[in-house]
Amino acid sequence: MNVLIDYLPEFRDGFLGTLAITGAGAVIALVLGVLIAGFRVSPIAPLRAFGTAWVTLLRNTPLTLLFLVATFVIPEIVFDGASPFVLAMLALGCYTSSFVCEAVRSGISTVPVGQAEAARSLGMTFAQTLRLIVLPQATRTVLQPLSSIFIALTKNSAIAGAFSVTELFGVAKLLSDKGYAIALIFLWVALAYLIITFSVSGLFRLLERRMGVAR
């Protein structure tokens, strides 16, 4: 208990840092994932090819390698002077977007084809059909897999601690270097991660119940 009390500001900053990078990464992953899923089911061949390449590349690349690219390569090409938090957020969000994309695409496939055909017969464009007809129905199907994906994102955020981002894993490393018992440190860090993951799980359970009523 002493290690938590003595270093409460560090634990607090690490907890808030993990929340921040998890939340920012989740927003990026959700936006990009839905967009790329739209590309993958698009009638336009170049968009389908781009979506397939995005998912194939990111899902088969180790996340640590993406963090290395974001930290040491991207600043030299695009974001010169970007903070470690922004670079880590982009790496985490882009990586997770490939999994979100596949979850959303699987949800889209559960919507009967007749729904899209009826929308097209009314003169709706592909984008309108996807946004107004298909995605609202697919959302109910993808909530459960998205819950697992965002819980995994929370745990993957620990890698950011190795790239100068203030978060829980970085706090654990700091205190371990000071000579504190590693088991006690990881106990408190594990409890903090459990709070976040249980909150994410609870949020999606709430959404599932609400969507269930909406049916």
Side-chain angles (χ1 to χ4, degrees), residues 35-69:
L35 180 63
I36 299 300
F39 286 177
R40 295 212 66 186
V41 298
S42 170
I44 303 174
L47 291 181
R48 290 200 307 272
F50 178 84
T52 301
W54 179 279
V55 171
T56 302
L57 178 63
L58 291 177
R59 289 189 74 178
N60 293 285
T61 301
L63 181 54
T64 304
L65 179 58
L66 290 180
F67 269 89
L68 288 170
V69 171

Side-chain angles (χ1 to χ4, degrees), residues 14-31 85 88-90 92-94 96 149-157 167 193 196 200 203-204:
F15 183 77
L16 294 177
T18 295
L19 280 179
I21 194 169
T22 299
V27 170
I28 292 173
L30 188 60
V31 172
F85 177 86
M89 172 188 70
L90 291 174
L92 190 61
C94 290
T96 308
I149 290 170
F150 288 132
I151 287 173
L153 182 150
T154 302
K155 293 181 284 187
N156 287 338
S157 68
E167 52 81 55
Y193 274 112
I196 298 174
V200 172
L203 173 62
F204 276 91

